Amino acid sequence: MKITAGIIGGAGYTGGETTRLLLQHPNVELVFVQSRSQEGKPVSAVHTDLTGETSLTFTGSFDVPVDVLFLCLGHGESKKLLASHSFPARTKIIDLGNDFRLGDHTPDRHFIYGLPEFQRDAIRKASNVANPGCFATTIQLGLLPIAKAGMLRDVHTTGITGSTGAGQKLQDTTHFTWRANNISAYKTLSHQHLGEINQTLHALQANVGDVHFVPWRGDFTRGIFVTSVVESPWSQAEANQHFEEYYHQHPFTHVVPAMVDLKQVVNTNKCLIHLEKVGSQLAIHSVLDNLLKGASGQAVQNMNLMFGFDESAGLHLKASAF
């Protein structure tokens, strides 16, 4: 079985990564990649890593009917698009922005939160999916087994992300001369992904505590490294067992015995988790690629579930570990 796909907002980082993944997916024909700013240009002229991989040019329109539509738009733009344009009911939509993550819907489209390790069965039945945020994915994958066990209280979490997490548009805190040899905290205890994190955790455990999150900007381009610290009665062995059992049937999240690092996951759809028990505190280290498992890779994973494909189809990617 082969399906047709289209991308709206294809010129940015997530648009480029979604294009790259769909071009080599065994069950997908990528029909169009839309961009208002790059209309008429070859896709490979903007995403130069795709040189020799595609002859597609950016289109300014998206009237061609497809089986699945990926919205790689800026936050707030997907709601505007769906309010002003109608798509066939048979077209499934995967939104990579934050417009529908907190239960918002359009009059004719209901969106399911697309974290497969949280609600894979619901995603399989969904027609529309709200793809999770990158920090939200990294943090939640480190906490889901504890919330599932009903033992999650207050969480203190710190995470550092690469410059691609801020998008392609140049900002004061993304250009090389500022990022190089530098780190900084931002949105302390007020990051926009806290809403979806709390939504998921409360769905698993009604009396979950507060999530205190401090994000950092890092001196690198891709990847997220998060450390969450919680009180836990589990021993080291018990914590490992609970996490391994929870993720046993999930192909992209792995509990590993040694300390994790970004090079293990960059350019893959994996999340690696390492646990450390110190006294009564459990430290959960989780790492992933913000553009893949934190965005485009997870979107393709959701597409696979929605259409009944192998969950890993098109996502067998190798990390560049050296």
Side-chain angles (χ1 to χ4, degrees):
M1 174 185 173
K2 203 148 190 172
I3 62 171
T4 56
I7 298 171
I8 297 180
Y13 291 138
T14 58
E17 288 296 82
T18 304
T19 300
R20 177 170 72 93
L21 294 173
L22 295 180
L23 284 172
Q24 55 89 45
H25 195 289
N27 304 109
V28 175
E29 177 190 358
L30 182 58
V31 176
F32 69 84
V33 182
Q34 181 271 351
S35 170
R36 288 177 297 181
S37 62
Q38 305 297 332
E39 180 180 0
K41 293 183 181 179
V43 169
S44 60
V46 175
H47 301 300
T48 54
D49 59 311
L50 298 178
T51 298
E53 301 293 327
T54 181
S55 59
L56 284 170
T57 59
F58 286 107
T59 176
S61 61
F62 36 80
D63 297 330
V64 179
V66 291
D67 296 310
V68 60
L69 193 59
F70 292 83
L71 306 184
C72 299
L73 300 166
H75 300 315
E77 294 300 314
S78 294
K79 278 186 179 179
K80 294 177 184 177
L81 175 76
L82 295 181
S84 60
H85 293 81
S86 179
F87 297 98
R90 73 173 183 86
T91 298
K92 298 180 187 290
I93 292 179
I94 301 173
D95 180 29
L96 278 76
N98 67 0
D99 295 24
F100 301 104
R101 294 172 185 165
L102 297 180
D104 293 337
H105 311 291
T106 70
D108 57 345
R109 290 189 179 270
H110 178 83
F111 282 81
I112 293 294
Y113 187 66
L115 185 63
E117 292 83 356
F118 166 53
Q119 51 182 8
R120 184 163 53 186
D121 289 342
I123 295 167
R124 284 192 173 114
K125 301 171 186 176
S127 294
N128 309 283
V129 163
N131 217 54
C134 51
F135 261 132
T137 297
T138 321
I139 293 171
Q140 288 176 99
L141 292 178
L143 300 177
L144 291 179
I146 307 173
K148 180 69 174 178
M151 302 179 68
L152 189 62
R153 301 297 181 257
D154 283 0
V155 180
H156 295 272
T157 185
T158 301
I160 188 166
T161 185
S163 58
T164 54
Q168 196 175 50
K169 186 177 180 181
L170 185 62
Q171 304 174 48
D172 289 344
T173 56
T174 59
H175 60 73
F176 175 79
T177 54
W178 190 89
R179 281 263 180 171
N181 305 308
N182 196 19
I183 61 171
S184 69
Y186 71 106
K187 297 182 180 178
T188 298
L189 305 179
S190 61
H191 195 277
Q192 67 270 16
H193 289 178
L194 283 169
E196 58 190 282
I197 293 168
N198 284 312
Q199 176 179 258
T200 297
L201 297 178
H202 280 88
L204 289 172
Q205 178 185 332
N207 63 336
V208 68
D210 295 325
V211 179
H212 306 280
F213 173 40
V214 180
W216 293 76
R217 303 180 182 97
D219 177 18
F220 51 92
T221 58
R222 294 174 72 133
I224 288 178
F225 192 120
V226 160
T227 298
S228 298
V229 178
V230 299
E231 286 269 354
S232 175
W234 292 339
S235 67
Q236 179 78 56
E238 289 170 334
N240 283 329
Q241 181 181 352
H242 279 283
F243 273 71
E244 288 166 1
E245 288 177 354
Y246 187 98
Y247 289 118
H248 176 65
Q249 295 184 328
H250 293 283
F252 294 112
T253 302
H254 306 277
V255 183
V256 297
M259 179 55 73
V260 292
D261 61 72
L262 287 182
K263 282 193 173 184
Q264 294 173 279
V265 295
V266 168
N267 199 44
T268 80
N269 197 53
K270 296 177 184 177
C271 176
L272 299 186
I273 296 173
H274 175 65
L275 306 174
E276 290 187 289
K277 187 69 190 296
V278 181
S280 64
Q281 304 292 312
L282 179 66
I284 307 119
H285 309 285
S286 50
V287 291
L288 54 74
D289 186 321
N290 58 292
L291 293 181
L292 288 172
K293 182 56 175 168
S296 299
Q298 186 150 249
V300 171
Q301 182 182 354
N302 281 322
M303 178 199 72
N304 287 340
L305 292 170
M306 295 164 78
F307 285 91
F309 302 144
D310 182 318
E311 189 173 350
S312 302
L315 294 170
H316 296 284
L317 308 169
K318 182 188 179 301
S320 300
F322 49 84

